[in-house]
Amino acid sequence: MRPRVILNCAASADGKIALSNRQGLKLSNKEDFERVHLLRNKYDAILVGIGTVVEDDPALTINPKFKTADNPLRVVLDTTCRISRTAKILDGRSKTIVAIGEKTKVNHLPNAEIIRCGTEKVDLPELLKELSHRGIKSILVEGGETVMWSFLKNELFDEFNIFISSMIVGGKITPTIAGGEGTGKVSDILRLKLIDAQTLGDGILLKYSKSNN
């Protein structure tokens, strides 16, 4: 049995998650920022892809202002082990796992444990099983676009939360919520069920589960 998985992201009103040159963009307002950090208190682990680590260098810890629990375990999907030894996610403030490919060569990484699973890319079901065996019961997935798409297309999630910011970014090559190869057939489209919608400051939070249809 896999851990409970919540996908959480923020996007512009046209579904973009960065600028057209992939530069990071502040999408969450103060209300959503608080929501995310309160949410982090409730989960055993936070998971992101190496793209997010390289482009944004997040610490993935809980802001002290909202901290009521220990910082969660941090998990990075990094098939070819591109992570920098100076990345904030390796700062030792909480345990970090770097999931890499079976044949990837890797030198010692500070404050990190290596898990090998998959070859061309990290095998998500295998990784989730391994994390479950280690006592991880809940995971908050925070990006990026390729990771979101992988969890969505394989239906490896229980809830999908999107904060929609009141801005337009535009651009046909601008990164979106779900990247990857996308869906080529109407019959393969993933259907969602809207379970909640609420205003957060000047934005809106949408919560989805998988559709029963």
Side-chain angles (χ1 to χ4, degrees):
M1 185 174 180
R2 66 166 173 79
R4 175 173 172 78
V5 173
I6 301 297
L7 309 180
N8 186 79
C9 65
S12 63
D14 56 336
K16 309 300 185 181
I17 60 171
L19 297 179
S20 59
N21 61 2
R22 304 195 70 87
Q23 180 180 334
L25 178 65
K26 183 179 179 181
L27 293 158
S28 291
N29 58 19
K30 64 178 182 179
E31 290 86 356
D32 188 56
F33 177 83
E34 179 177 350
R35 176 190 69 86
V36 170
H37 282 269
L38 290 175
L39 198 58
R40 287 180 178 180
N41 283 287
K42 301 176 181 179
Y43 285 80
D44 296 331
I46 300 176
L47 184 148
V48 297
I50 185 58
T52 296
V53 174
V54 170
E55 293 169 11
D56 301 334
D57 194 22
L60 300 183
T61 52
I62 305 167
N63 185 292
K65 183 178 178 181
F66 309 111
K67 192 173 183 183
T68 59
D70 292 337
N71 286 318
L73 169 72
R74 300 173 290 189
V75 182
V76 185
L77 307 184
D78 187 11
T79 308
T80 59
C81 201
R82 295 191 289 135
I83 192 168
S84 167
R85 292 171 60 88
T86 60
K88 290 178 183 176
I89 205 168
L90 300 177
D91 61 12
R93 283 192 280 172
S94 69
K95 184 177 179 181
T96 297
I97 288 177
V98 180
I100 66 174
E102 295 283 359
K103 299 179 181 180
T104 300
K105 294 181 180 180
V106 58
N107 294 320
H108 172 73
L109 290 174
N111 303 311
E113 177 185 357
I114 299 295
I115 291 181
R116 296 180 181 272
C117 54
T119 52
E120 296 297 323
K121 57 184 178 180
V122 173
D123 185 317
L124 287 180
E126 183 180 339
L127 176 61
L128 293 177
K129 182 187 294 186
E130 180 62 32
L131 292 175
S132 179
H133 288 161
R134 293 166 184 243
I136 301 301
K137 297 180 180 179
S138 59
I139 301 174
L140 188 62
V141 178
E142 294 195 5
E145 58 179 325
T146 303
V147 172
M148 287 293 181
W149 171 246
S150 296
F151 275 91
L152 287 165
K153 76 172 181 178
N154 292 297
E155 299 192 33
L156 295 171
F157 70 98
D158 300 284
E159 190 172 298
F160 182 29
N161 297 345
I162 311 170
F163 174 77
I164 303 296
S165 178
S166 296
M167 65 176 73
I168 296 289
V169 178
K172 64 181 180 180
I173 64 170
T174 306
T176 59
I177 294 169
E181 68 274 20
T183 303
K185 296 189 297 183
V186 172
S187 58
D188 291 337
I189 289 176
L190 173 63
R191 306 290 179 178
L192 301 175
K193 178 182 179 181
L194 181 64
I195 56 176
D196 190 39
Q198 57 179 292
T199 300
L200 287 180
D202 61 352
I204 187 169
L205 175 66
L206 303 176
K207 295 185 178 183
Y208 296 93
S209 64
K210 285 177 282 191
S211 172
N212 294 325
N213 297 329

